[in-house]
Amino acid sequence: MYCPKCGALNVDNASFCRGCGTNLSLVPQAMTGRMPEQPASYDAASVEHAKLRLREYAKQRRRERPPSMERAIKSFFMGLGFIFVAIAAKSYAPAGEIWWFWMLIPAFSMIGGGIAEYARFKRSQPTPQLAAPGYTPPAVAPPRHGPELPPRPAADIYTPTSVTDHTTQLLDRER
């Protein structure tokens, strides 16, 4: 049997092409005209169950994501935007007198969501640890200075001998 993708020769019962790795399991069935049957259609209950599981998964992912200040600010200001639209609709839209208050539902929902996100964000931030107060010695009055010392007489000041002078004196004695 030849691979339909790369044309490499394969054994007749091969599952994959040895040249390119293409799945060859359906090639013999296609050649004989016997294709596998289509899977049975799903009933409405299994579709609804799958949708419910997907919604639960999305809720779980939303709960697990770390809170962020950006989402809190965005949600809060979108809520304020809905409030402004509701006020403008009541004042200026032809039918705004009828439906303006329905705009308050998403407005307060978004504002509440923004505040909740902010609270989660603040709670997730590590609290700064205050350093333990270190030991501070008691304040001691500075010592009193008396009159300055008198200058030294020139006779007391001497030049120290060098190290080499002392060494040469020792070497001279050994001779």
Side-chain angles (χ1 to χ4, degrees):
M1 160 178 35
Y2 290 96
C3 174
K5 187 172 182 181
C6 69
L9 181 61
N10 294 290
V11 293
D12 286 340
N13 57 357
S15 295
F16 297 97
C17 173
R18 62 181 167 162
C20 65
T22 302
N23 187 356
L24 299 175
S25 62
L26 296 178
V27 172
Q29 294 173 4
M31 296 300 287
T32 59
R34 292 180 295 123
M35 290 301 290
E37 292 183 24
Q38 295 293 327
S41 63
Y42 297 106
D43 59 341
S46 63
V47 170
E48 289 302 317
H49 179 67
K51 286 181 183 177
L52 180 63
R53 284 182 41 209
L54 187 60
R55 272 189 235 117
E56 289 298 319
Y57 176 74
K59 283 182 187 177
Q60 180 183 1
R61 294 277 299 176
R62 252 182 268 126
R63 274 184 252 129
E64 289 175 357
R65 72 178 176 203
S68 74
M69 182 64 82
E70 292 83 16
R71 278 195 303 271
I73 292 171
K74 179 179 119 184
S75 182
F76 183 79
F77 280 105
M78 284 180 65
L80 288 180
F82 268 95
I83 288 176
F84 293 138
V85 168
I87 292 170
K90 183 174 186 198
S91 303
Y92 303 111
E97 291 289 327
I98 300 169
W99 57 265
W100 71 272
F101 61 90
W102 292 106
M103 297 292 283
L104 297 177
I105 294 170
F108 290 126
S109 173
M110 288 183 177
I111 288 174
I115 292 171
E117 183 81 12
Y118 178 74
R120 281 194 302 270
F121 176 76
K122 279 301 203 181
R123 199 172 346 140
S124 71
Q125 297 301 311
T127 57
Q129 296 295 326
L130 298 176
Y135 173 74
T136 49
V140 178
R144 284 194 243 166
H145 295 290
E148 290 191 19
L149 294 174
R152 284 176 85 173
D156 288 347
I157 299 174
Y158 67 95
T159 311
T161 58
S162 81
V163 176
T164 55
D165 286 344
H166 181 67
T167 309
T168 52
Q169 289 173 2
L170 287 175
L171 291 175
D172 286 341
R173 267 191 247 159
E174 289 179 4
R175 286 190 194 167

